Amino acid sequence: MAYSEKVLDHYENPRNVGTLDKDDPHVGTGMVGAPACGDVMKLQIKVSDDGVIQDAKFKTYGCGSAIASSSLVTEWLKGKTLDQASEIKNSAIAEELSLPPVKIHCSVLAEDAIKSAIADLKSKQGK
Amino acid sequence: MTQNFFTLLNLPEAFVVDLKKLDQHYQAIQKEIHPDRFASLNDEAKMESVKKTAQVNDAYQTLKSSVRRAEYLLHLYGFDINEEKYSAVPQDFLLQQMEWREELEVNSKNKEALEKLASEVSIKKNEKIDLLPTFFHEKNNLPDAIKLTRELNFIEKIEQHIDDALIEVS
């Protein structure tokens, strides 16, 4: 199966790979996995006191589409408020990367990772 | 229609399978339906034999592996282990997966470290497989069987990556 140019670009030059301090109270960590393919994805966001995402990092072990999906969302997340971030839909990710139907689950994984990171942050901050 | 794999190989539909019987039944059926036996027959009969052979092979491979067998049984019971929400995989388990993946990445050229990781993964895998019979017994605890089978899918994936890395270094 051929990857789209955008997927290849993110796969070859992934943005924002790395780790933030998960014990930092301003950092939310989302960890998700897809049983069907064994992919694991970690997404972290660092949020300012006024609720704006300042930094986002990811680490994904999986196929090109999973890596591209998580790389793309780290770019999208920066500068967004938590409310805006939680509105990111997998369909937008799939569309931007021209994912074929069999790879849609990779974009779902990325959306779930955002939700999971936000939930972690909120539970940490007791909100 | 695809026939039930257990029926096809003449075994009771259960998680615990007599592997010796599985091998014996498989070999017997294989002989019986081998396409060579139908060489003199018409195309339809030959085609039928090829199809049947493929199905029997599929059934055999599925029932031989504990993880595939668990997944198949759950499918028969009406559960698709891949369908539920992805986040349903426990966080500590995913954390462990992440750590193993990182370890594999760092040590991808180090045979000794790879072997150590492989044995650690294999121990964890067997611990989980050992729990399956009780969960499946009389459909005792299917939610946990689903959870475990999902986790085993992840474990088999990393096992495969470790094997690939080991082949590269040896």
Side-chain angles (χ1 to χ4, degrees):
Chain A
M1 188 194 51
Y3 284 125
S4 73
E5 257 175 55
K6 279 182 183 161
V7 170
L8 280 177
D9 180 36
H10 278 280
Y11 180 67
E12 281 161 9
N13 314 291
R15 277 61 138 184
N16 308 307
V17 175
T19 303
L20 298 169
D21 177 11
K22 67 173 172 33
D23 297 323
D24 182 333
H26 289 95
V27 170
T29 302
M31 190 90 83
V32 289
C37 45
D39 289 0
V40 273
M41 186 181 285
K42 183 173 78 178
L43 179 73
Q44 294 184 298
I45 48 173
K46 184 168 188 161
V47 180
S48 65
D49 285 327
D50 51 358
V52 177
I53 297 171
Q54 294 170 315
D55 201 3
K57 297 268 185 220
F58 85 96
K59 200 154 198 187
T60 294
Y61 292 97
C63 66
S65 304
I67 290 168
S69 296
S70 34
S71 170
L72 176 70
V73 298
T74 56
E75 283 193 318
W76 280 359
L77 285 170
K78 287 187 196 178
K80 283 198 164 57
T81 65
L82 288 182
D83 284 343
Q84 288 167 336
S86 62
E87 275 165 20
I88 295 176
K89 288 279 172 295
N90 84 285
S91 50
I93 302 165
E95 193 183 336
E96 172 70 17
L97 295 171
S98 319
L99 295 181
V102 292
K103 290 293 176 183
I104 296 298
H105 69 274
C106 299
S107 63
V108 177
L109 204 58
E111 183 191 321
D112 282 352
I114 299 173
K115 293 206 174 93
S116 162
I118 294 173
D120 177 58
L121 185 80
K122 286 189 171 165
S123 81
K124 238 183 195 175
Q125 300 187 337
K127 283 178 196 168
Chain B
M1 221 193 77
T2 323
Q3 214 187 330
N4 181 308
F5 288 169
F6 291 96
T7 321
L8 201 59
L9 288 165
N10 193 20
L11 291 164
E13 187 183 300
F15 177 73
V16 179
V17 157
D18 184 336
L19 290 174
K20 219 166 132 190
K21 270 192 187 154
L22 173 67
D23 276 345
Q24 286 167 356
H25 293 183
Y26 170 62
Q27 280 159 14
I29 297 169
Q30 225 189 6
K31 250 185 224 161
E32 209 176 293
I33 61 170
H34 197 279
D36 285 354
R37 286 181 50 131
F38 299 86
S40 59
L41 292 177
N42 60 29
D43 285 350
E44 205 179 317
K46 264 187 261 179
M47 202 52 200
E48 201 48 45
S49 151
V50 170
K51 255 169 53 189
K52 186 96 179 174
T53 304
Q55 207 183 62
V56 169
N57 286 340
D58 195 17
Y60 175 70
Q61 297 301 340
T62 303
L63 297 192
K64 199 175 163 65
S65 142
S66 310
V67 182
R68 294 285 84 75
R69 192 189 322 129
E71 196 172 342
Y72 179 67
L73 255 185
L74 289 169
H75 161 77
L76 290 180
Y77 297 159
F79 302 101
D80 177 354
I81 62 155
N82 300 319
E83 229 169 39
E84 307 238 346
K85 288 296 287 172
Y86 298 113
S87 42
V89 185
Q91 292 290 303
D92 53 345
F93 178 78
L94 288 172
L95 202 67
Q96 163 91 88
Q97 291 305 298
M98 208 47 124
E99 280 168 9
W100 280 346
R101 294 282 192 143
E102 280 164 0
E103 213 170 303
L104 170 61
E105 199 173 47
V106 174
N107 293 314
S108 67
K109 302 272 180 286
N110 180 341
K111 189 159 182 256
E112 209 173 299
L114 286 174
E115 278 165 351
K116 195 169 149 270
L117 180 63
S119 93
E120 187 189 332
V121 170
S122 155
I123 289 168
K124 277 274 157 55
K125 180 185 174 184
N126 289 330
E127 278 173 12
K128 288 185 191 291
I129 289 178
D130 287 347
L131 291 171
L132 281 174
T134 348
F135 292 162
F136 272 110
H137 184 66
E138 293 179 346
K139 303 188 189 177
N140 201 337
N141 188 344
L142 290 184
D144 277 348
I146 295 171
K147 177 175 163 274
L148 225 54
T149 308
R150 271 209 200 114
E151 294 181 359
L152 282 161
N153 263 5
F154 283 96
I155 294 178
E156 287 208 323
K157 194 77 184 182
I158 182 140
E159 255 189 339
Q160 203 184 309
H161 287 301
I162 298 170
D163 282 350
D164 290 347
L166 273 168
I167 290 167
E168 288 268 315
V169 290
S170 52

